[in-house]
Amino acid sequence: MSDRVLLDNIDRVFAILDVDGDGGVSKGDFTSMGAGVAREFGFEEDAPQARSLIAKYEGIWDCISGADLDVDGVVGAAEFREAHTSGRVDTEVVVERWLSATHGNFEVADRDGDGYIDLDAFAAIYRGAGIPDRKVAETAFGAMDVDDDGRLDWNELSAHARGLFTATDESAKGVRMVSGD
């Protein structure tokens, strides 16, 4: 078991959350992620599905904003890492909020309602959330598709989303969710 794995994931998550690349995460980054995913699936920002997704992403911000020690409305990389490693931000609450947003993503991506999403839909979620590199989505999808049927169900996706914030071992679920390797 290694804290290095957990720290690497924390740093990767921060880099993804910093949608505008300004070195900090703010509520606007979370709003952009929710709106971006909704747009990938054809929903305008004022559509109920988009508003729901945006609210779920902003719910993550509400939890993470406690890491903002200097109360400037922006959480920097050091604040983000320290909040996660010190326990100042409750990992279980972050995981539950992240799972809520992930479930919202799954619902908009499962256009036919069959309970599955394919790689293209999964890659669209990543693109909308600010991860344009398809290789990252392909790597994550491959690790999540445990039955190798070319699609993900909610159980496969949620197990990895949970592991993203809790994995301490290279072989754990979620480790490769945002690594691209």
Side-chain angles (χ1 to χ4, degrees):
M1 300 248 264
S2 166
D3 287 340
R4 182 82 248 148
V5 171
L6 184 59
L7 293 175
D8 285 349
N9 268 357
I10 289 169
D11 293 344
R12 287 181 186 125
V13 168
F14 179 83
I16 289 163
L17 295 178
D18 183 13
V19 174
D20 57 15
D22 66 356
V25 294
S26 66
K27 185 175 183 177
D29 290 306
F30 289 88
T31 303
S32 292
M33 290 176 80
V37 172
R39 267 192 311 277
E40 283 290 326
F41 293 96
F43 297 107
E44 297 296 324
E45 203 165 323
D46 62 345
Q49 297 89 337
R51 286 195 313 263
S52 175
L53 258 181
I54 291 167
K56 289 172 190 286
Y57 274 99
E58 289 176 348
I60 300 168
W61 167 252
D62 292 343
C63 180
I64 291 174
S65 66
D68 182 13
L69 292 177
D70 58 5
V71 196
D72 64 353
V74 177
V75 174
E79 289 174 315
F80 188 78
R81 183 187 255 215
E82 188 278 330
H84 282 279
T85 58
S86 71
R88 200 164 29 80
V89 169
D90 186 331
T91 300
E92 270 308 304
V93 174
V94 171
V95 167
E96 291 309 313
R97 302 262 175 106
W98 196 263
L99 284 171
S100 177
T102 301
H103 193 262
N105 291 335
F106 188 85
E107 288 178 328
V108 299
D110 181 16
R111 302 292 273 183
D112 62 6
D114 69 352
Y116 296 94
I117 59 173
D118 63 13
L119 175 57
D120 288 336
F122 185 75
I125 292 169
Y126 269 42
R127 264 192 321 276
I131 309 169
D133 185 349
R134 186 171 173 100
K135 181 182 180 212
V136 175
E138 289 171 351
T139 299
F141 189 91
M144 287 184 230
D145 185 13
V146 295
D147 58 7
D148 202 28
D149 66 353
R151 57 191 188 161
L152 300 177
D153 63 24
W154 173 243
N155 290 331
E156 289 170 316
L157 182 57
S158 63
H160 285 267
R162 178 174 294 284
L164 178 62
F165 290 95
T166 59
T168 57
D169 183 283
E170 283 291 338
S171 63
K173 291 179 178 177
V175 169
R176 304 223 184 291
M177 195 164 179
V178 293
S179 70
D181 52 43

